[in-house]
Amino acid sequence: MRANYTMQRLFVDADLTPGTVVEAAPNQAHYLLNVLRMRQDSELLVFNGRDGEWRARLAASGKKSASLTLIEQTRPQPVLPDLHYCFAPLKKGRLDYLVQKAVEMGASALTPVITQHCQMHKPGIERLRANALEAAEQCGILAVPPVHAPVKFDRLIADWDPGRRLIFCDESAETHNPLTMLQALETDRLGLIVGPEGGFSDAERRALHALPFVTAIPLGPRILRADTAAVAALAVIQATIGDWR
Amino acid sequence: MRANYTMQRLFVDADLTPGTVVEAAPNQAHYLLNVLRMRQDSELLVFNGRDGEWRARLAASGKKSASLTLIEQTRPQPVLPDLHYCFAPLKKGRLDYLVQKAVEMGASALTPVITQHCQMHKPGIERLRANALEAAEQCGILAVPPVHAPVKFDRLIADWDPGRRLIFCDESAETHNPLTMLQALETDRLGLIVGPEGGFSDAERRALHALPFVTAIPLGPRILRADTAAVAALAVIQATIGDWR
């Protein structure tokens, strides 16, 4: 929890190779020069989600434009577990949180899913992407998961690739322990679906249980809020069959 | 995630036995009658952290006072794992969140710990208690963990009962997987300490590593924010040696 607060991180689109000079976007230049008040030649870290993390030196021209000269790669690009995170959008504050946490926990793709008890039916996709990016910049995550357009629950499971194991958190499960179930899974192509605060509807729950590619896992004896269940589920998944092993 | 939104829950101090009539506190009466606009004879759930959960019937007299007649116990009082949760207070929003999540995840006691990189040195203890209570009411948690007064890091470890295993999340660990370490622990008297956003200082980290009753666990290859690490750590602890087994 320390390393991610030492040096400013910036996401850029450009390919990153030694000596490359990257022009900061206008809003990024404004942020670096006028908000953070970074000086000429100060150093920061840049990443593009493909080429790892690079140390770069700032060159400002005036108050409105800045360029970054790449010095050296500080970390190689990591490979994320193939874990597709599907979530019912929550109310604003918690929705931002949900996306940030999923990125920290190493989800490789995010898809908002509109369920029957969903509180929000038209989540702002650009805001979700900004949240994902912000979490990556703040926490030093080099792989920024794509945020896909919202999809209806029925469509999601109708189009689901049966070769990808879909895990869902089932508060009505009779056991409490998710570890043994997860350890028994033999695929490394995974999906996790987390319901809204109101939970899945009975119809949605029945539909999930009826699908051959679905694994229902319990998350202990207490009922968890949706955003808590998301982080807890991602933790036990990463620890058993993800990249915490 | 459904069950906790069906019926209003209320924490009371009184002992709960069949037929007991509980006078709601003035602020509770106001909340039930004027905010929720609950009617005469409507039912809700009450708990006191000792006697389980009870279905109760509301009797209002005017707009300012209300009493609750206990009908039947709906759930017995659960026994929580002995898991003492120690956390460095974060900035306001995240601090509230941290406490709510710890309650949902089944911490049996909460203690704010003031560390060197702490952002907040005087957390409002009453606010933290209110957060714990709110989380319990909203999520149907029957055991409300006590929130102890803040203590300095050095004092906490100096006074720590060596018979209680203290787990801390060590981002500098060389392995990624916390499960094997946790499964090897043979005590069921546990503590978890989570550092501030800035992480533990080198001195604090050295002190923890030097203690015979401390177990340092990794939480994967990514650096997690303090509040994410807290939920993730509680999840793997509960799943391996807590009450998710």
Side-chain angles (χ1 to χ4, degrees):
Chain A
M1 290 150 257
R2 179 181 315 114
N4 51 341
Y5 291 88
T6 47
M7 221 167 157
Q8 181 62 35
R9 273 201 188 70
L10 200 68
F11 177 86
V12 298
D13 289 320
D15 295 333
L16 306 177
T17 52
T20 303
V21 178
V22 179
E23 280 304 316
N27 63 324
Q28 291 180 319
H30 171 71
Y31 183 68
L32 296 173
L33 301 176
N34 306 323
V35 179
L36 298 179
R37 300 174 177 280
M38 289 180 76
R39 302 253 172 81
Q40 184 74 13
D41 292 332
S42 41
E43 294 191 348
L44 65 162
L45 297 168
V46 300
F47 64 108
N48 63 1
R50 304 184 304 274
D51 303 324
E53 179 184 70
W54 291 70
R55 194 157 57 84
R57 185 174 296 114
L58 178 75
S61 56
K63 285 248 163 250
K64 289 188 169 172
S65 74
S67 64
L68 308 159
T69 305
L70 300 191
I71 302 167
E72 60 169 359
Q73 191 186 53
T74 48
R75 285 190 291 160
Q77 183 64 32
V79 179
L80 281 181
D82 182 359
L83 173 52
H84 191 151
Y85 176 63
C86 309
F87 60 99
L90 305 177
K91 299 201 204 91
K92 265 223 168 28
R94 286 183 182 268
L95 177 57
D96 297 349
Y97 194 95
L98 203 60
V99 170
Q100 291 163 18
K101 296 310 175 205
V103 173
E104 287 178 54
M105 295 299 293
S108 58
L110 278 61
T111 300
V113 181
I114 310 307
T115 68
Q116 283 181 32
H117 296 162
C118 229
Q119 298 158 310
M120 181 183 280
H121 288 72
K122 294 197 188 316
I125 192 76
E126 286 316 315
R127 182 187 175 119
L128 298 185
R129 291 190 173 130
N131 281 324
L133 211 49
E134 183 192 5
E137 286 181 337
Q138 290 187 0
C139 296
I141 311 289
L142 298 184
V144 185
V147 181
H148 299 309
V151 54
K152 286 214 166 73
F153 176 87
D154 296 344
R155 171 56 47 198
L156 180 84
I157 60 173
D159 294 349
W160 192 265
D161 167 6
R164 179 181 295 276
R165 177 59 48 173
L166 179 58
I167 298 163
F168 92 101
C169 310
D170 184 9
E171 69 239 33
S172 64
E174 276 157 22
T175 61
H176 289 159
N177 191 346
L179 296 185
T180 42
M181 284 175 174
L182 290 171
Q183 278 154 342
L185 295 181
E186 276 166 6
T187 173
D188 53 6
R189 294 175 57 219
L190 299 167
L192 169 67
I193 183 167
V194 174
E197 289 296 2
F200 291 109
S201 70
D202 292 337
E204 289 165 341
R205 191 178 309 276
R206 275 195 304 275
L208 286 168
H209 277 293
L211 291 165
F213 52 77
V214 165
T215 296
I217 62 165
L219 288 176
R222 284 165 294 280
I223 290 171
L224 304 177
R225 292 187 98 145
D227 53 353
T228 316
V231 175
L234 287 166
V236 290
I237 290 170
Q238 294 290 31
T240 48
I241 49 178
D243 67 358
W244 288 17
R245 281 173 299 181
Chain B
M1 288 149 256
R2 178 179 320 112
N4 50 340
Y5 293 88
T6 46
M7 221 170 157
Q8 181 61 34
R9 274 200 187 73
L10 200 68
F11 178 86
V12 298
D13 290 322
D15 294 333
L16 306 177
T17 53
T20 304
V21 177
V22 180
E23 281 303 316
N27 63 323
Q28 292 180 319
H30 170 72
Y31 182 68
L32 296 174
L33 300 176
N34 306 324
V35 180
L36 298 179
R37 299 174 176 281
M38 289 180 77
R39 302 251 173 80
Q40 184 76 12
D41 293 332
S42 43
E43 295 190 348
L44 64 162
L45 297 168
V46 300
F47 64 108
N48 62 2
R50 305 184 304 274
D51 303 325
E53 178 185 70
W54 291 70
R55 194 157 56 85
R57 185 175 294 111
L58 179 75
S61 56
K63 285 248 164 250
K64 289 188 170 172
S65 74
S67 64
L68 308 158
T69 305
L70 300 191
I71 302 167
E72 61 169 358
Q73 191 185 51
T74 48
R75 286 190 290 161
Q77 182 64 29
V79 179
L80 281 182
D82 182 358
L83 174 54
H84 190 151
Y85 176 63
C86 308
F87 59 100
L90 305 175
K91 298 203 203 87
K92 268 228 164 25
R94 289 184 178 268
L95 177 56
D96 297 349
Y97 195 95
L98 204 59
V99 170
Q100 292 164 18
K101 296 310 174 204
V103 173
E104 288 179 54
M105 296 298 295
S108 59
L110 278 61
T111 300
V113 181
I114 310 307
T115 68
Q116 283 181 33
H117 296 160
C118 230
Q119 298 158 311
M120 180 183 280
H121 289 72
K122 295 198 187 313
I125 191 77
E126 286 317 316
R127 181 187 175 120
L128 298 185
R129 289 188 174 133
N131 281 325
L133 210 50
E134 184 192 4
E137 286 182 338
Q138 290 187 3
C139 297
I141 311 289
L142 298 183
V144 185
V147 180
H148 300 307
V151 54
K152 287 215 167 72
F153 176 86
D154 296 344
R155 172 56 50 199
L156 179 84
I157 60 173
D159 293 350
W160 192 268
D161 168 6
R164 179 180 296 277
R165 178 57 50 172
L166 180 59
I167 297 161
F168 92 102
C169 310
D170 184 9
E171 70 239 33
S172 64
E174 276 155 23
T175 61
H176 290 157
N177 191 345
L179 296 185
T180 42
M181 284 175 176
L182 291 171
Q183 278 155 341
L185 295 181
E186 276 166 7
T187 173
D188 54 6
R189 295 176 56 218
L190 299 166
L192 169 67
I193 182 166
V194 174
E197 288 296 0
F200 291 110
S201 70
D202 293 336
E204 288 165 342
R205 190 177 310 275
R206 275 195 304 274
L208 286 169
H209 277 294
L211 291 165
F213 52 78
V214 165
T215 297
I217 62 165
L219 287 176
R222 285 164 294 278
I223 290 171
L224 303 177
R225 290 186 101 144
D227 53 353
T228 315
V231 175
L234 287 166
V236 291
I237 289 170
Q238 294 290 29
T240 48
I241 48 178
D243 67 358
W244 289 18
R245 280 173 299 182

